[in-house]
Amino acid sequence: MNTRTILSGDRPTGKLHLGHYVGSLTSRLSLSQQATYSNPLKILIADTQVLNNDVSKSEHVKANILHLMRAYNAIGLKNCQFILQSEIPYIFELGTYLSNLVALNHNLRNPTLKSERQMYGDNLNMGFVNYPIMQTADILIFNATDVPVGEDQVPILLYGNDLIDKFHFNFNCNIFQKITPILSSSPRLIGVDGKNKMSKSLDNAIYLDSTDEDIYQKVFSMYTDPKHIHVSDPGQVEGNVVFMYLDVFHSDKEEVNDLKKQYQKGGLGDVKLKKMLFEDIKNVIAPIREHYYNLSDETLLAQLQEGSEMAFEEARDNIKRIKSFIFR
Amino acid sequence: MNTRTILSGDRPTGKLHLGHYVGSLTSRLSLSQQATYSNPLKILIADTQVLNNDVSKSEHVKANILHLMRAYNAIGLKNCQFILQSEIPYIFELGTYLSNLVALNHNLRNPTLKSERQMYGDNLNMGFVNYPIMQTADILIFNATDVPVGEDQVPILLYGNDLIDKFHFNFNCNIFQKITPILSSSPRLIGVDGKNKMSKSLDNAIYLDSTDEDIYQKVFSMYTDPKHIHVSDPGQVEGNVVFMYLDVFHSDKEEVNDLKKQYQKGGLGDVKLKKMLFEDIKNVIAPIREHYYNLSDETLLAQLQEGSEMAFEEARDNIKRIKSFIFR
């Protein structure tokens, strides 16, 4: 009787923005409503993983956990189990067992590690060197089978499946189900500068609790076509951030196509388009913002604690079973 | 109010022998009786560490844990807390935090890792690469301050103290006491072949549950001086295993000195010496063996469980405190 469980997660490194909304939050909404999964959607807040990149970031983790919980609730996620990674010590115990099945050079071949190592050489911290193992442990400790990811994260799941094979071979058992990636079809939303991904330091992101004024200001600062000076000038659609966003947020796709044609011909001004986009984004953000500060910190932390306590028991039962195959 | 706690430990890789008795067990006996330490002597059975060298060894771990517990009880260890490493998941959680403070190349400079890497190259498993971190976590999770070690293990404790400095610096706190090595003055007891350290596969060890017949056979197989053929021949004391053992086990040191002189002059036979040594070793082993099978498996496991449960609570309280400095 194999049940399927979805595990999704975020690192608490900052407030969530429109990029997250489009990239992962909406798909979680729909996944949490699918009846094919008998278990609730698990959402892991990976706080210990924040330390891998920079231990000094640890001081913002507490506030960022609250931002994540606010966002999850505000978009209307229901039937989810929220789990705080640092409350589940069995993840790290499982990671330790798994670490004995992986060679150093195998880990260093992981694409993310490879590119980090090009930057830091062997000054790379051991937490980072271990991250593919630990991320696999995140999944296996909860018997998760389905993991929503972007294309770039597929290698880490394949690595995890390889580790499952090694475990089964070495301990002569068959206890883990293979991990299946749920590939996201949603586009990557670039920052309003049209150059970088959304980030706080670049001030190019629209956050889920943005005010109308902030949305307006961000939309009107969007990069369009620098050569499109007069309304009558023909404009370029490719690389035009306003059209990228309209493709995502304007529900009438035919209208967007017509607007693109008109823009390319000339006679359509940026201001008109930006006003339209402002309305579209406002319609997305307003209901989220309305609920963003609905719940008190205490309520949010209690939600997280409830899910984590349940997860602790699940993990404890599972590690007991896993150990029964290691130490026979 | 800084209390001092001693942590000692063994990996459950086999039965304990006379080498362990001389090298660590007797010193634990005396340490456990010292009133300067307000806490009981902690003895960690490092079962998860067995996997670092060879995961296939995991299948003998259960039986070997019982052998360790038998030996501890049989030599008369009292007022000790026995802890099974795999029952304390917080060790691995702490190890994960610590891993973010250590660079890959720093770990690879550790002497033990260096020599292993000369053998295996980068095929070294990640469990082994992490071992200095995890061994530090073993100590810090229990706020242990004093660790009995041989000379060769001092570098790993210095590494641990360096890691404490890094933790205090990065998280701006001062929560760990530095680790002090308790250097063992006891000699390393070589195998009865006079060439290798005691090991099961070489059949050169005298175990703590050996029968008199077995002791007799092992003593009489001891390497002496191959040129000492007749009783009247002068014999060599250096490299003579019987004298090495007499130095350790014969209580009358003056008598041993006289015997050495007589042996070097000629006129003293190996058989006489071996009979003497047999009596000495029998006097050590007999009372241990008598108690070796006194306690049932259930009683021993209950002892270990009691200590581990207490340790689980201690570790849980401590990790909570440690985390309060990481995630402020």
Side-chain angles (χ1 to χ4, degrees), chain A residues 52 55 58 62 86 92-93 96-97 99-100 102-105 122 124-127 130 170 323 326 328, chain B residues 51-52 55 58 62 86 92-93 96 99-100 102-105 122-127 130 170 323 326 328:
Chain A
N52 288 351
V55 288
S58 64
K62 266 193 172 169
S86 63
F92 314 106
E93 181 180 350
T96 302
Y97 297 132
S99 70
N100 292 299
V102 187
L104 173 60
N105 52 14
D122 287 346
L124 211 61
N125 82 52
M126 287 299 301
N130 283 316
N170 276 285
K323 277 198 276 194
I326 300 176
R328 281 169 197 267
Chain B
L51 307 177
N52 288 350
V55 288
S58 64
K62 266 192 174 172
S86 64
F92 314 106
E93 181 180 350
T96 303
S99 70
N100 293 297
V102 187
L104 173 59
N105 51 14
D122 288 347
N123 280 319
L124 210 60
N125 82 52
M126 286 299 300
N130 283 316
N170 275 284
K323 277 198 275 192
I326 300 177
R328 278 166 196 269

Side-chain angles (χ1 to χ4, degrees), chain B residues 108-121:
Chain B
L108 294 176
R109 275 198 295 270
N110 167 281
T112 312
L113 263 172
K114 229 171 170 172
S115 69
E116 284 285 317
R117 204 165 164 228
Q118 269 157 8
M119 274 160 63
Y120 300 105

Side-chain angles (χ1 to χ4, degrees), chain B residues 92-245:
Chain B
F92 314 106
E93 181 180 350
L94 178 55
T96 303
Y97 298 132
L98 296 177
S99 70
N100 293 297
L101 302 171
V102 187
L104 173 59
N105 51 14
H106 181 74
N107 253 32
L108 294 176
R109 275 198 295 270
N110 167 281
T112 312
L113 263 172
K114 229 171 170 172
S115 69
E116 284 285 317
R117 204 165 164 228
Q118 269 157 8
M119 274 160 63
Y120 300 105
D122 288 347
N123 280 319
L124 210 60
N125 82 52
M126 286 299 300
F128 209 99
V129 178
N130 283 316
Y131 111 91
I133 301 171
M134 287 301 170
Q135 209 151 301
T136 304
D138 287 339
I139 297 167
L140 299 189
I141 197 70
F142 297 119
N143 288 317
T145 51
D146 297 75
V147 179
V149 287
E151 286 277 4
D152 57 327
Q153 284 169 293
V154 171
I156 188 84
L157 299 189
L158 297 178
Y159 169 101
N161 281 335
D162 179 55
L163 206 35
I164 290 176
D165 283 337
K166 284 177 173 144
F167 192 99
H168 288 168
F169 175 79
N170 275 284
F171 299 116
N172 193 27
C173 61
N174 188 21
I175 51 172
F176 297 117
Q177 286 184 76
K178 286 290 171 75
I179 309 160
T180 306
I182 303 182
L183 271 171
S184 164
S185 58
S186 49
R188 292 231 154 189
L189 205 62
I190 203 157
V192 297
D193 55 4
K195 277 181 271 182
N196 304 289
K197 60 180 193 174
M198 293 192 177
S199 97
K200 195 183 172 186
S201 54
L202 294 171
D203 194 28
N204 64 352
I206 298 173
Y207 292 98
L208 297 185
D209 66 339
S210 291
T211 60
D212 285 352
E213 292 69 32
D214 190 45
I215 299 169
Y216 191 87
Q217 184 265 317
K218 287 272 163 53
V219 168
F220 275 78
S221 77
M222 274 182 182
Y223 182 88
T224 55
D225 174 3
K227 291 179 191 154
H228 182 251
I229 295 161
H230 306 291
V231 173
S232 55
D233 290 342
Q236 201 173 325
V237 165
E238 294 77 39
N240 188 317
V241 183
V242 177
F243 277 111
M244 288 184 198
Y245 274 63

